[in-house]
Amino acid sequence: MADNLASQITRPLNSLIKICLTRLLRNNQEPRPLPSVDNAPLSHHDIQVPVRAGQTYVGDHVRTLFDADIPKDNDNDSFIKCLEKVQMNGSGIRFVVLGSENTVGKWLNGGRPGNGKNYECFAHHFVRNPIGPGQRNFFEQTLLLGEVRYDDIVTQLDVMAQSEGIDQTRIKYGENTVYDRMVEEASIKCQRRLANVVQCIAKCGLYPICVSGGNEDILGVGYGVHLGRSMVTGTNSNISLGNFDCHGDFKSLNDRGAHSGNGFSILKHIGCMNRYAVLGLSPYENRQAMMESLITHNCWYRFLDDISLTGATSRPSLFSTLTDMLKYLDSEDSTEVLGLCVDLDVTEGLSTVSCPATMGFTVSQVHELVQEFTRYSKPYFLLLAEGMPDPLVPLTEGVNRALGKYQAALVSCFLRNSIIVPHI
């Protein structure tokens, strides 16, 4: 079963690129007519950047493909040419922010599938953040790309469910074997599509930042970075991963295909991940079998109750524990790539996630962890996972506003600390 899953992931990727591009409307401008791609309307969504006298916003300085040239075809070569054009026009682009939410991987792992709006929620608040002194530089080096599309893959599931009379809002894994297999296949297709997009970004020497609905996307992002960096270096560029998460997400590969609970273990099985470290595990939400798998594969992990979060006990402090994590992940191999994953369900009291936990870090502690991890280790890529906006609340209000601003702050923190000179 595990080898079959690995072979499905690692066979040559399809070069199809499907992205809903982000377009920023500045200075209250009206949208201009858009060209077609492959004789079809261009998939995009518009975000209005605020206008206020004396104030500049992130959206005034980040770039989009509309600032350079949009792809004329839905293939790798056309996409890479656009990325290269953005790099060559003097913009100094280093980072590419993209979204991904296929909704199926979380369902396979028993989580809430979400509504596909997490990237949009993030982007609305990211571009509306005011820019303070000294912050313009790292936003000017950032391309806000858009969201990888999986609608054609998911539509096949919808058609099958309708023909079989399946209520997709109620069905659970194991209740319909045919539907289960189709969702498993769909999840793998989604991860391969994401891997192809990330591969192109990494091949251009750019740093991917993925705002995702599910932690299964670490498979697509990690594998894509591995392939792209291997093309650049001409050698096998493996990855190592740090993860802030209350779940280990290192489950067995013997069931349910590729899902939000086994992305890291798949990367390990296919041989492109060297080391894996996870900080923040809940003592109440990780099964013994998975913990044994972490131990067997020599992974580093710490539970929340192994750490003193307030300094009031004799247990190691949060940041001394982070230092141990970074030492474990450190490598002398110059071709190895380090990545950081933040599963938002590690945040205490955050309800707008796929699988809310019983305990976790505060928002401020997660922000500090991202800051220190990035400042000292300079990871090549970031994945923010498991955000799930409330479908009954507008994206700019209430709990969705809090979720969007939280993710925007974490991405901004990553950008700022990736660029500044590390402490000696």
Side-chain angles (χ1 to χ4, degrees), residues 66-273:
F66 292 94
D67 297 322
D69 193 13
I70 62 172
K72 298 298 188 293
D73 299 290
N74 289 323
D75 59 44
N76 286 11
D77 289 342
S78 183
F79 180 51
I80 288 174
K81 286 177 183 177
C82 287
L83 293 177
E84 291 174 340
K85 187 169 183 178
V86 174
Q87 290 175 286
M88 290 187 297
N89 68 1
S91 62
I93 291 296
R94 289 178 59 189
F95 303 93
V96 177
V97 182
L98 69 154
S100 171
E101 182 158 10
N102 59 56
T103 73
V104 296
K106 291 184 290 186
W107 180 85
L108 284 169
N109 195 33
R112 297 182 293 173
N115 58 6
K117 295 289 186 180
N118 191 43
Y119 170 80
E120 190 177 348
C121 179
F122 151 79
H124 272 281
H125 294 282
F126 181 62
V127 303
R128 287 172 166 79
N129 274 354
I131 288 185
Q135 295 183 355
R136 176 175 172 175
N137 178 44
F138 50 84
F139 289 119
E140 289 181 336
Q141 298 183 43
T142 303
L143 175 71
L144 194 59
L145 178 63
E147 188 167 12
V148 180
R149 291 174 54 199
Y150 309 106
D151 50 329
D152 56 320
I153 299 173
V154 176
T155 296
Q156 296 175 9
L157 290 176
D158 296 340
V159 171
M160 184 270 181
Q162 186 174 9
S163 67
E164 296 292 325
I166 296 173
D167 184 348
Q168 292 174 289
T169 64
R170 294 179 179 275
I171 189 172
K172 296 180 180 180
Y173 187 91
E175 294 179 350
N176 186 304
T177 304
V178 176
Y179 185 74
D180 292 347
R181 297 293 87 78
M182 284 197 68
V183 177
E184 291 170 4
E185 292 174 7
S187 183
I188 291 172
K189 289 177 182 177
C190 291
Q191 291 311 308
R192 287 169 49 78
R193 180 170 296 178
L194 175 59
N196 184 51
V197 173
V198 173
Q199 169 189 236
C200 294
I201 293 170
K203 186 178 179 181
C204 292
L206 299 170
Y207 299 70
I209 298 172
C210 184
V211 179
S212 159
N215 220 14
E216 68 274 14
D217 285 339
I218 192 59
L219 175 56
V221 174
Y223 187 54
V225 166
H226 162 71
L227 292 176
R229 291 302 302 167
S230 295
M231 294 176 189
V232 171
T233 63
T235 186
N236 191 41
S237 291
N238 275 8
I239 62 174
S240 285
L241 288 165
N243 184 22
F244 302 139
D245 198 342
C246 61
H247 306 102
D249 290 345
F250 207 80
K251 289 183 177 180
S252 165
L253 308 188
N254 293 327
D255 65 348
R256 301 199 182 200
H259 56 69
S260 60
N262 66 8
F264 297 96
S265 42
I266 294 176
L267 287 171
K268 187 69 173 178
H269 184 79
I270 63 180
C272 68
M273 184 177 75

Side-chain angles (χ1 to χ4, degrees), residues 326-340:
L326 293 175
K327 288 179 180 177
Y328 166 83
L329 290 169
D330 188 35
S331 173
E332 296 181 357
D333 182 356
S334 61
T335 66
E336 184 177 292
V337 177
L338 178 63
L340 172 61

